[in-house]
C-alpha cells in the first residue's frame, strides 16, 4: 500500500478545524492542518455557544481557561415593535444538565486562540499557517492536496488518507467532491455592528429578536462589555452605504447614546440556509460551514460544526487505528445531517417570524402569538438518528453530573470518561459477566467503566446503566454486558481492511490496530472491572 504524508489533512483552521485537530491529536492521529491566513481571524462572527459545546472544550482541556472569557446567557426573547414578548427561550440560572450553564456568550478570536494553543500541545498535529490549499484530488489510498506556502511562494503536494474540509462556506473541499447541496431558500443580507461599552449602560441581559416590521433587529449582550446589534437590510438598501458611520449611528440611536459605546466593526453578511447532501465522498469529508450554513438566530452555526468535529474525530480514530473499516465514516453524515437539518429548519422558521416586513402581516402575527402563546420546543436538539447506537435508548446526549469525592473537589463525569467509550453505572450496579474474548476486546478498545457515587443520579433513561460514546452521545441504556456486546456488534458491521502506513509519522500513541472480531468464541464468564471515583 502506498504510504501517505499524514492520516488526516484538515483544510481550514477556524473553530471547527481547530476542534477537529485537537480531538484527533488527543487520539494520536497524524494530522496536518492547512490555513491560508497567518493568525486567528480578528473579527468575531459567532457570539454564543451552548453547554454541550463547553463539554467539547472541556475534553480539549480549555474549559478552565475559557471561564474568565465567557458569560452565561439568560435566554432569548422574540418581542414585537412595542416590546411585547412573542416567544421566549429562557435558560435556567446556574449549572444545567451538561455540568455547565446551558449557554455562554464569548468573543470568537479569544476562543480560537485558546483552541489553537490546545492544539499546539499535541505532538501528532502540525498546523501550517499561511498555506493555501489550491486543489484537492482523490488518489488511492486517499487524496492529494496542492498546497501553496504564501510566504515563500513554494508549492508542494501533500498526501493524506482522509481530507476534511473545515474550510468554511466557500469550501474548496466541498467543490472538489460529489457532495451536492440542499438550499433551504434563505438568502438575506444583515448588517452586524459590534460595539464595546465605555461605561455601564442599562441594556437587556437577554438576546432580543426585535420583530419590528420597520427594521427587524437582533440585540446580543456579548461577554466582557461587548454588545452586538444586527440590523436586517431592507429591500433596496445599499450594503456599502449602510456600513458608513452615519448610518450605523442612526440605527443605534434608539438603543444607546453614542457616547456610551465604541463601534469596533460593522459588516454585512448574507445569511443562508444550505446543507450538504452527502458529507463524505471517498477520502473527502466536510464539516462545519463547509457542510452547512444557517441564519444565526439560534446561535448554532459554529456549535453545529463543533458537534460535527466531535462526531467525526472518534470515527476517524477507529478507522485509522485499524479497528473499523471506512464504512464507519458513512455514519458521520447519517447521524449529523438530520440533526443539523432540524436546527437549520428551526433557525429558518424563527427568521420567518423575525423578518416580516409587511405591517399588516406583522400585526396579525403579533395578535396570534400574543393571544395563543406558543411554548418554544423543549429542546431544539433532536437525538441522533440513525447510527452507532441502539434504539430506542441511545442517540441522546449524556448528562454530565459533578461526582462528589470523599476528600477532594467534585469531578465532572466526562473527566473520567476521557476520550474513550465508557460504561456509566448507577451506584451498586451488579456488573454481569463478559465472555473473556469480549472482555479482552473492551480492554483493548480502551473502554472505561465509571460507577456513580451513592446519591448521584445521571438523569437519563430511568437511571439505568448507559454506554457513552467519546462524543458524549449515549450508545444505549440497559444491561452492561448486553451494551458492550451490542457495541462490539455495531462496530463489527464496519470490518477493517489492512491499515495504510503513514510516511515518517511522528510518535502518536495510536492504539494497536485490532480488527473487530466477526465470530464469537465460546463464552466463558469474566467480570469487568470498575474504575473507582476517587
Ligand atoms: C453574524 C454571525 C453571527 C453568528 N453567530 C453565531 C453564534 O452565536 N453561534 C454559533 O454557533 N455560530 C454563529 N455563527 C456561525 C459561525 O460563525 C460559523 O458557523 C463558524 O465560524 C464556522 O466555522 P468553520 O470553522 O466551519 O469555518 P470558518 O470559521 O469560516 O473557517 C474556515 C477557515 O478555512 C480557511 N480556508 C478556506 N479555504 C481555504 C483554503 N483553500 N486553504 C486554506 N485555508 C482555507 C479560512 O481562511 C478560514 O480560516 C454566526 C455567523 C455570523 C455570520
Amino acid at each position: 500500500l502506498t504510504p501517505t504524508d499524514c492520516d488526516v489533512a484538515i483544510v481550514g483552521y477556524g473553530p471547527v478545524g481547530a476542534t477537529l485537530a485537537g480531538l484527533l491529536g488527543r487520539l494520536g492521529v497524524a494530522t496536518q492542518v492547512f490555513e491560508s491566513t497567518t493568525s486567528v481571524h480578528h473579527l468575531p462572527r459567532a457570539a454564543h455557544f451552548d453547554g454541550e459545546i463547553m463539554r467539547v472544550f472541556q475534553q480539549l482541556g480549555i474549559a478552565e481557561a475559557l471561564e474568565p472569557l465567557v458569560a452565561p446567557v439568560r435566554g432569548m426573547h422574540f418581542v414585537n415593535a412595542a416590546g411585547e414578548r412573542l416567544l421566549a427561550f429562557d435558560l435556567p440560572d446556574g449549572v444545567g444538565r451538561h455540568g455547565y450553564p446551558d449557554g455562554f456568550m464569548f468573543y470568537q478570536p479569544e476562543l480560537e486562540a485558546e483552541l489553537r494553543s490546545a492544539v499546539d500541545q499535541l505532538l501528532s498535529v502540525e498546523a501550517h499557517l499561511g498555506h493555501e490549499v489550491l486543489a484537492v484530488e482523490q488518489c488511492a489510498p486517499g487524496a492529494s492536496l496542492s498546497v501553496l506556502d504564501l510566504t515563500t511562494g513554494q508549492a508542494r503536494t501533500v498526501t493524506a488518507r482522509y481530507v476534511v474540509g473545515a474550510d468554511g462556506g466557500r469550501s474548496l473541499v466541498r467543490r472538489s467532491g460529489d457532495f451536492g447541496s440542499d438550499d433551504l431558500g434563505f438568502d438575506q443580507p444583515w448588517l452586524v455592528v459590534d460595539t464595546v461599552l465605555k461605561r455601564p449602560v442599562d441594556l437587556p441581559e437577554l438576546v432580543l429578536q426585535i420583530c419590528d416590521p420597520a427594521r427587524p433587529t437582533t440585540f446580543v449582550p456579548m461577554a466582557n462589555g461587548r454588545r452586538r446589534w444586527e440590523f436586517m437590510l431592507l429591500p433596496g438598501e445599499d450594503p456599502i452605504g449602510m456600513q458608513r458611520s452615519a448610518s450605523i449611528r442612526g440605527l443605534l440611536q434608539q438603543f444607546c447614546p453614542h457616547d456610551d459605546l465604541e463601534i469596533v466593526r460593522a459588516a454585512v453578511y448574507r445569511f443562508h440556509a444550505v446543507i450538504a447532501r452527502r458529507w463524505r465522498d471517498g477520502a473527502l469529508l466536510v464539516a462545519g460551514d463547509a457542510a452547512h450554513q444557517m441564519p444565526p438566530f439560534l446561535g448554532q452555526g459554529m456549535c453545529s460544526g463543533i458537534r460535527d468535529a466531535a462526531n467525526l474525530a472518534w470515527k476517524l480514530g477507529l478507522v485509522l487505528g485499524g479497528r473499523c473499516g471506512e464504512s464507519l465514516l458513512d455514519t458521520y453524515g447519517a447521524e449529523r445531517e438530520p440533526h443539523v437539518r432540524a436546527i437549520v429548519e428551526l433557525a429558518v422558521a424563527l427568521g420567518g417570524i423575525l423578518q416580516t416586513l409587511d405591517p399588516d402581516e406583522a400585526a396579525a402575527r403579533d395578535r396570534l402569538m400574543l393571544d395563543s402563546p406558543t411554548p418554544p420546543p423543549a429542546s431544539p436538539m433532536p437525538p441522533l438518528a440513525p447510527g452507532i447506537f441502539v434504539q430506542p435508548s441511545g442517540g441522546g446526549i449524556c448528562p454530565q453530573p459533578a461526582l462528589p469525592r470523599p476528600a477532594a473537589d467534585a469531578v465532572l463525569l466526562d473527566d473520567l470518561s476521557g476520550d474513550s467509550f465508557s460504561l456509566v453505572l448507577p451506584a451498586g450496579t451488579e456488573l454481569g459477566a463478559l465472555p473473556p474474548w469480549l472482555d479482552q476486546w473492551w480492554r483493548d478498545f480502551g473502554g472505561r467503566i465509571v460507577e456513580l457515587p451513592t446519591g448521584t443520579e445521571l438523569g437519563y433513561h430511568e437511571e439505568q446503566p448507559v454506554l457513552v460514546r467519546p462524543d458524549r452521545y449515549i450508545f444505549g441504556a440497559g444491561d452492561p454486558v448486553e451494551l458492550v456486546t451490542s457495541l462490539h456488534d455495531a462496530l463489527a458491521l464496519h470490518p477493517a481492511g489492512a491499515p495504510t502506513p503513514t510516511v515518517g509519522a511522528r510518535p502518536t500513541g495510536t492504539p494497536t490496530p485490532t480488527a473487530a472480531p466477526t465470530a464469537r468464541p465460546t463464552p466463558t464468564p469474566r467480570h469487568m472491572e470498575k474504575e473507582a471515583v476517587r
Side-chain angles (χ1 to χ4, degrees), residues 11-17 34-37 45-49 106 108 112 116 131-134 166-169 172 192 228 230 269 271 287-290 296 299-304:
V11 185
Y13 205 24
V16 175
F34 299 97
E35 165 60 50
S36 50
T37 61
R45 284 153 298 152
H48 156 268
F49 64 78
F106 73 107
Q108 191 170 350
E112 291 196 35
R116 288 187 184 188
H131 283 67
E132 183 172 355
V133 176
L134 301 177
D167 46 351
L172 170 77
V192 177
R228 171 179 287 176
E230 297 170 7
Y269 289 92
F271 296 160
D289 275 20
Q300 279 293 330
M302 181 195 78
C303 295
S304 300

Side-chain angles (χ1 to χ4, degrees), residues 90-151:
D90 285 318
L91 296 181
D93 277 344
V95 169
R97 61 201 291 265
H98 292 295
Y100 294 101
D102 283 345
F104 293 95
M105 305 312 292
F106 73 107
Y107 186 59
Q108 191 170 350
E110 290 175 346
L111 168 69
E112 291 196 35
E114 290 299 338
L115 282 170
R116 288 187 184 188
S117 60
V119 175
D120 286 345
Q121 315 296 317
L122 298 164
L123 282 180
S124 69
V125 184
E126 283 173 28
H128 305 276
L129 301 180
H131 283 67
E132 183 172 355
V133 176
L134 301 177
V136 179
E137 211 177 318
Q138 302 219 38
C139 57
S144 72
L145 302 92
S146 309
V147 181
L148 178 67
D149 181 334
L150 296 171
T151 314

